[in-house]
Amino acid sequence: MKIDDLIREYADIEGRLADPSVHADPALARRLGRRYAELRPVVETQREITAIEDDLAAARELAGEDPAFAAEAEELERKRDELAERLRRLLLPRDPNDGKDVILEIKAGEGGEESALFAGDLLRMYLRYAERSGWKTEIIDSHPSDLGGYKDVTVAVKSRPGQEEGVWTRLKYEGGVHRVQRVPVTESQGRIHTSAVGVLVTPEAEEVEVDIDPGDLRIDVYRSSGPGGQSVNTTDSAVRITHLPTGVVVSCQNEKSQLQNKEQAMRILRSRLLAMAQEEADAAAAAERKSQVRTVDRSERVRTYNFPENRISDHRVGYKAYNLDQVLDGDLHNVTQALVDADTARRLAEAGQAQQAQPTS
């Protein structure tokens, strides 16, 4: 879209958000609020450029009479060029899910109980990172392990109204295999072991985005259980939902009532089906376009957490730092920023190549 079209869209949304009737539909108000927050930096940057260009024209006109205005004109040119580059980045094609909240699933893998303990460490890292980022979190489902870790745990992460960045913008890069190297608590001889935890991140789908036929669902109920299989509920409140056309299976047992567990399971199911539909669309588009905005392959080892060296390494972009303790305490910003910067650089390069390939008139 052209910048003028985005400015008009921004003004239109601003007017709609001022209409009290819009807020009678919370889902609509939230969608408009997200889009408004996305457009705000574009519109504000363009307004700054326009104001500087007006000042620059005046400074150039007066530069012939007073050399001080020539120096001012040079400074204004520098600021204008910086803002123009920022606007160029803001106008890059966006991942359509960047404004969305996410469903984040952490699953223990290779390493047995040590893997489950590290899954718990990753859960705390993401919860603390969310807190630092001003996001809200909700544990939808969890299966604790005997030693206090998690066999698997599912968390919903939501942005707050007015935030320019959606949660997906940052957390979409977390999907994949996370490897840990450390001496497990179960190791008596002090040997370093390597374990793995899988992280799955999907944009949370709203009901209007995924049409699920109730006839396509098989819903089973059973009793919840805690570590070691100990019964923690005397009623059949846990719910397992199978989406028959795709074979996707989702279960929830955290809530006390069957209805609540069913609602939470449906949230996860909608997000997984939306992610599957988008992956299919991406695969089809890949035949025409070699590179596209996507999350990493979930089977790919994306990151290593080395405790003896206090080192964190992201293998996709070559990022390495020796502040693992701080990262696990939620200081994840520099890690995610390295991935955002790498993705932005790739898209800028693609945009430049596409512009060069356009025929000149």
Side-chain angles (χ1 to χ4, degrees):
M1 294 180 70
K2 295 181 179 179
I3 187 67
D4 290 342
D5 294 331
L6 296 176
I7 292 173
R8 280 192 289 270
E9 182 185 359
Y10 181 79
D12 177 65
I13 294 175
E14 191 170 46
R16 294 181 69 183
L17 289 173
D19 183 354
S21 65
V22 168
H23 297 274
D25 183 347
L28 173 61
R30 185 170 177 81
R31 286 197 300 274
L32 290 174
R34 283 175 177 166
R35 182 58 175 162
Y36 186 74
E38 289 173 8
L39 291 173
R40 184 190 299 127
V42 174
V43 173
E44 289 179 349
T45 301
Q46 179 58 41
R47 286 173 178 171
E48 286 186 65
I49 291 173
T50 301
I52 283 180
E53 286 179 338
D54 291 342
D55 293 340
L56 178 58
R60 284 171 173 168
E61 186 176 339
L62 295 170
E65 303 173 8
D66 187 344
F69 284 106
E72 181 180 344
E74 289 182 6
E75 178 63 17
L76 289 170
E77 286 178 353
R78 183 187 64 78
K79 289 183 178 178
R80 181 200 58 189
D81 292 345
E82 289 178 355
L83 289 169
E85 177 60 23
R86 182 187 178 204
L87 184 62
R88 180 173 171 240
R89 290 171 176 266
L90 290 170
L91 291 175
L92 283 172
R94 289 175 58 88
D95 181 335
N97 292 318
D98 272 353
K100 291 184 181 293
D101 301 322
V102 308
I103 299 290
L104 188 147
E105 301 176 59
I106 306 170
K107 298 179 181 293
E110 299 175 8
E113 194 63 51
E114 164 62 9
S115 176
L117 288 171
F118 187 59
D121 292 338
L122 289 184
L123 172 63
R124 286 187 290 274
M125 179 184 75
Y126 289 127
L127 292 179
R128 289 171 182 170
Y129 179 51
E131 184 179 1
R132 288 170 182 250
S133 303
W135 301 332
K136 296 185 293 183
T137 57
E138 174 192 3
I139 294 181
I140 297 177
D141 192 46
S142 64
H143 295 85
S145 68
D146 293 334
L147 296 184
Y150 287 93
K151 298 173 184 175
D152 60 79
V153 57
T154 303
V155 188
V157 188
K158 292 182 174 291
S159 62
R160 296 186 183 275
Q163 289 186 311
E164 291 182 4
E165 277 192 341
V167 180
W168 176 258
T169 305
R170 290 278 168 175
L171 291 187
K172 63 183 174 182
Y173 303 105
E174 294 303 302
V177 176
H178 294 238
R179 187 177 67 169
V180 59
Q181 296 171 325
R182 66 181 177 186
V183 179
V185 295
T186 55
E187 169 59 51
S188 59
Q189 299 182 28
R191 291 174 299 187
I192 296 174
H193 286 223
T194 298
S195 304
V197 170
V199 175
L200 173 66
V201 187
T202 53
E204 180 162 10
E206 299 180 13
E207 291 189 38
V208 294
E209 294 179 283
V210 180
D211 183 23
I212 299 177
D213 185 345
D216 289 339
L217 302 178
R218 185 178 72 231
I219 301 176
D220 303 307
V221 296
Y222 56 97
R223 291 187 180 181
S224 304
S225 61
Q230 178 185 1
S231 176
V232 295
N233 201 327
T234 56
T235 61
D236 293 336
S237 62
V239 174
R240 181 186 301 108
I241 300 178
T242 303
H243 186 248
L244 299 175
T246 61
V248 174
V249 179
V250 177
S251 61
C252 275
Q253 66 170 19
N254 265 32
E255 305 296 339
K256 294 183 179 180
S257 80
Q258 188 181 118
L259 179 60
Q260 289 173 315
N261 281 322
K262 180 182 176 183
E263 290 175 349
Q264 300 288 43
M266 287 298 294
R267 287 176 65 183
I268 300 172
L269 178 61
R270 280 194 294 269
S271 297
R272 288 191 188 176
L273 292 179
L274 177 63
M276 288 177 65
Q278 290 172 337
E279 286 172 2
E280 290 175 2
D282 286 346
E288 303 175 3
R289 187 162 64 95
K290 292 182 179 180
S291 184
Q292 55 194 316
V293 176
R294 61 176 179 83
T295 58
V296 297
D297 186 326
R298 297 186 190 101
S299 65
E300 180 185 347
R301 185 192 67 186
V302 296
R303 195 174 294 156
T304 296
Y305 305 74
N306 185 297
F307 277 71
E309 298 180 13
N310 197 36
R311 174 175 46 99
I312 181 165
S313 305
D314 194 288
H315 307 294
R316 295 162 291 182
V317 295
Y319 177 88
K320 185 181 294 184
Y322 293 85
N323 64 336
L324 176 58
D325 53 341
Q326 297 174 36
V327 170
L328 290 175
D329 195 42
D331 189 7
L332 196 60
H333 177 78
N334 288 342
V335 184
T336 60
Q337 189 61 48
L339 292 155
V340 170
D341 290 344
D343 186 45
T344 300
R346 177 184 61 78
R347 291 186 291 131
L348 282 169
E350 288 179 356
Q353 292 170 1
Q355 189 172 19
Q356 291 177 0
Q358 290 180 350
T360 56
S361 54

